[in-house]
Amino acid sequence: MKKFFKIFKIILTIVFTCYSIVIIYFIALSPKDKRFKFAEHYQGIYLSQTMFDILIWQYPTYSDAYFEKSVIFNKTGAYEKGSLLLDKAVEIDPKAHLGYRGWLVLRKLRSYDNALQDFDRLDSLTPTVADAPWGEGIDFLRGECYFGKKNYQKAIEMFNRNIQNQKEDWVDIQSFVYLGLCEYELGNFEKAISEFRRALNQYEHTPESYFGIARAYQKLGEIEKAKEYILKAEENISFKRDDVYNEYLNEIYLSEVLEFKQSLSE
Amino acid sequence: MSPYTIHAKFITIKPNIKLKNKLNLILFISFFLAASLTIWVYYQTTNRTGKIEFNKDIDDPEFVVCDEDRILQYYSVKTSYPGGKREIKKQFSKLISNLTFKDSGLITFRFVVNCNGDVGRFRVKMVNFQLKKNHFEDQKIKQIQKEIQKLKKWNPGKWRSESFDSYYVLNFKIENSKITDIF
């Protein structure tokens, strides 16, 4: 019986020890890419942040770990904490992280000058590369920055450059929408209509373009045409540009389409 | 029993006691380590960054969440205000024109939209445009919070037609002493 207990105790000791070793190995000693992927996948839970902390401690120049750890802070509005980490990632590897920081500052914080600084710096570091921070053309994003700053001439320059670089048939149609909006703001209503039409030539379900054309026709005094296009905007509103994280600068709403439609009938 | 026999017994029994004690000690240490790690991993996997817990000193006790253990992020379950950010800006138009500030930066409100579309548990963070900690007057912050509380009947976060509690983030951009944007 004594022998049995002794063997039982030894087995338990081995099981407990192996269990602990597996956990410690998984969290602190397994290949860093595997740990990074796990922590990235489970973004937001404490374990994920702890694993990034361990990675940063073990590899102080692992810029992706700083960057990825910052994401949940920025998503939850803790921008001070997020920026400290993201700034460190940029400091270590500016080419890899400047674009994301610019994109974040533009889309999440609407801090246009800071975003432009990052995009310009990234561009200067990669003169031969057409940068695409977070998958969007750098000139498109710069155009959005200038649009946000209400510098419409400069925004037009950037959106046109984006179209030239990415070619008319391949470019994000929102470049044309923004061009239309800029021309509208500058009072060039006919030019605005032609720019909005360029978006419709690529994709007929672009409510931003229909709405823009309706507003331009109203300014030109062509109310019947305005009515025709506002109906199309209403019909296509379900195709509008939106994002679950943030409101876009050129986002339109059904309520404003209906309000405009109402104003045309008065 | 000769003195030699007694001596021999000591020799044979003593190591057994030592071995038994050692085994118990190692078993205890391995169990303690495994148990501690399990508790730690449980804590690490059941808590999330940005969790807002009820604080009786600042939170309205009448505001209740439907599931304390499952408050999701707005972007996971598409929490929204009817009419979107445009409608929120409209509701804030009076405050936007009346409220003035001494400093510039961002005021970020994070709060819970419960599964019934009510809001509560407000937390606020303030930064300047360099994203360093900033401070705006408490009274102004309270005014903004009161205005957010007036926004009724939110669209709670949904997943497969089930409503969930969720966190929402609302930023107020302060430039040239005024609120210039809400997003």
Side-chain angles (χ1 to χ4, degrees):
Chain A
M1 196 67 177
K2 270 184 184 176
K3 203 171 183 181
F4 169 74
F5 272 116
K6 195 175 169 184
I7 291 167
F8 183 64
K9 280 178 186 177
I10 289 169
I11 290 169
L12 273 182
T13 304
I14 290 168
V15 168
F16 288 142
T17 307
C18 289
Y19 171 81
S20 300
I21 287 170
V22 167
I23 290 179
I24 292 168
Y25 173 79
F26 177 70
I27 291 170
L29 300 167
S30 58
K32 76 172 186 178
D33 292 342
K34 269 191 179 176
R35 280 186 279 156
F36 179 86
K37 276 185 183 161
F38 175 88
E40 185 186 31
H41 184 73
Y42 290 97
Q43 183 189 78
I45 62 169
Y46 280 8
L47 183 63
S48 159
Q49 298 296 86
T50 303
M51 286 174 79
F52 286 130
D53 283 336
I54 293 169
L55 282 168
I56 287 168
W57 176 67
Q58 290 172 329
Y59 308 95
T61 57
Y62 194 7
S63 66
D64 283 352
Y66 290 96
F67 149 69
E68 196 58 47
K69 193 188 171 195
S70 77
V71 174
I72 191 63
F73 290 122
N74 291 322
K75 278 182 173 176
T76 55
Y79 303 122
E80 192 199 1
K81 279 186 184 175
S83 76
L84 280 174
L85 290 157
L86 193 51
D87 290 351
K88 185 72 187 171
V90 169
E91 186 188 314
I92 296 167
D93 191 350
K95 280 186 196 173
H97 302 290
L98 265 172
Y100 171 76
R101 191 173 70 179
W103 176 89
L104 179 95
V105 166
L106 164 63
R107 289 280 165 80
K108 281 213 166 283
L109 309 172
R110 296 194 177 176
S111 185
Y112 309 116
D113 287 323
N114 290 342
L116 276 170
Q117 270 180 25
D118 280 347
F119 294 139
D120 291 346
R121 194 176 149 210
L122 175 65
D123 214 8
S124 69
L125 290 172
T126 56
T128 55
V129 178
D131 296 294
W134 229 230
E136 296 184 67
I138 193 166
D139 291 321
F140 179 83
L141 293 170
R142 280 198 278 220
E144 274 198 342
C145 290
Y146 285 114
F147 182 82
K149 280 164 65 73
K150 300 189 190 327
N151 185 344
Y152 300 114
Q153 276 302 354
K154 195 77 182 162
I156 288 171
E157 187 189 317
M158 290 298 146
F159 288 122
N160 276 328
R161 199 199 286 177
N162 184 50
I163 294 165
Q164 274 171 10
N165 288 340
Q166 302 205 11
K167 310 298 173 210
E168 182 106 3
D169 292 345
W170 294 97
V171 74
D172 183 342
I173 54 165
Q174 293 298 327
S175 297
F176 304 122
V177 173
Y178 270 117
L179 281 175
L181 289 170
C182 292
E183 296 293 355
Y184 178 91
E185 292 295 338
L186 293 170
N188 306 324
F189 303 120
E190 283 174 355
K191 177 78 172 155
I193 290 170
S194 73
E195 297 292 11
F196 286 128
R197 283 192 197 283
R198 287 170 81 186
L200 293 171
N201 289 340
Q202 301 295 332
Y203 186 57
E204 61 179 322
H205 302 294
T206 313
E208 295 86 3
S209 278
Y210 290 122
F211 188 33
I213 292 173
R215 288 168 66 216
Y217 273 131
Q218 188 239 11
K219 288 282 184 191
L220 291 167
E222 298 190 47
I223 304 301
E224 286 311 309
K225 280 192 172 174
K227 283 180 181 174
E228 179 193 331
Y229 278 92
I230 201 65
L231 282 177
K232 287 185 178 176
E234 189 184 346
E235 280 166 21
N236 287 283
I237 197 70
S238 59
F239 296 95
K240 78 166 196 160
R241 182 188 194 219
D242 62 3
D243 176 54
V244 71
Y245 289 99
N246 312 294
E247 179 198 48
Y248 284 115
L249 290 180
N250 69 334
E251 188 159 339
I252 64 167
Y253 292 90
L254 179 61
S255 58
E256 63 181 321
V257 170
L258 295 177
E259 276 170 28
F260 187 77
K261 185 179 160 190
Q262 179 69 27
S263 73
L264 290 174
S265 309
E266 284 165 2
Chain B
M1 192 186 287
S2 75
Y4 295 106
T5 319
I6 293 165
H7 183 67
K9 268 189 182 172
F10 270 115
I11 289 167
T12 52
I13 291 167
K14 217 175 172 184
N16 269 345
I17 292 169
K18 268 188 179 175
L19 188 66
K20 200 178 163 188
N21 285 343
K22 263 187 190 170
L23 183 60
N24 284 341
L25 185 67
I26 292 167
L27 174 60
F28 174 74
I29 290 169
S30 64
F31 170 74
F32 181 76
L33 184 62
S36 304
L37 276 171
T38 305
I39 293 165
W40 180 78
V41 168
Y42 177 77
Y43 171 77
Q44 291 273 314
T45 49
T46 51
N47 283 285
R48 300 188 78 88
T49 305
K51 186 177 179 182
I52 302 178
E53 284 181 284
F54 175 73
N55 179 342
K56 65 177 169 43
D57 297 328
I58 53 172
D59 293 327
D60 176 7
E62 285 182 18
F63 173 79
V64 286
V65 295
C66 306
D67 185 351
E68 191 67 60
D69 298 324
R70 207 173 187 194
I71 305 177
L72 307 171
Q73 305 293 344
Y74 70 95
Y75 48 80
S76 306
V77 284
K78 296 188 175 175
T79 311
S80 66
Y81 185 69
K85 295 275 165 60
R86 180 177 187 263
E87 191 56 36
I88 293 176
K89 283 175 207 169
K90 250 177 133 177
Q91 300 286 333
F92 270 83
S93 57
K94 203 175 165 190
L95 200 71
I96 287 172
S97 45
N98 291 342
L99 217 54
T100 55
F101 297 84
K102 289 177 190 162
D103 214 339
S104 294
L106 280 177
I107 303 173
T108 303
F109 279 87
R110 189 157 179 268
F111 49 92
V112 176
V113 179
N114 73 11
C115 67
N116 301 314
D118 301 320
V119 290
R121 295 194 191 175
F122 293 87
R123 302 291 183 269
V124 64
K125 285 190 163 54
M126 293 163 268
V127 290
N128 59 23
F129 289 122
Q130 282 67 50
L131 303 181
K132 301 288 175 257
K133 202 172 185 177
N134 202 1
H135 189 75
F136 292 91
E137 301 97 300
D138 289 345
Q139 193 206 344
K140 308 279 168 68
I141 299 298
K142 279 179 186 160
Q143 275 180 273
I144 299 176
Q145 184 174 318
K146 272 187 183 168
E147 213 60 29
I148 301 173
Q149 280 170 308
K150 285 184 193 166
L151 302 172
K152 303 289 180 194
K153 293 182 180 169
W154 285 69
N155 300 320
K158 286 208 170 194
W159 175 250
R160 291 180 180 165
S161 74
E162 192 184 343
S163 296
F164 288 94
D165 304 312
S166 57
Y167 295 111
Y168 198 81
V169 177
L170 206 51
N171 297 298
F172 294 79
K173 189 175 180 181
I174 317 294
E175 282 174 309
N176 305 319
S177 73
K178 303 287 281 182
I179 297 174
T180 56
D181 206 352
I182 303 171
F183 51 94

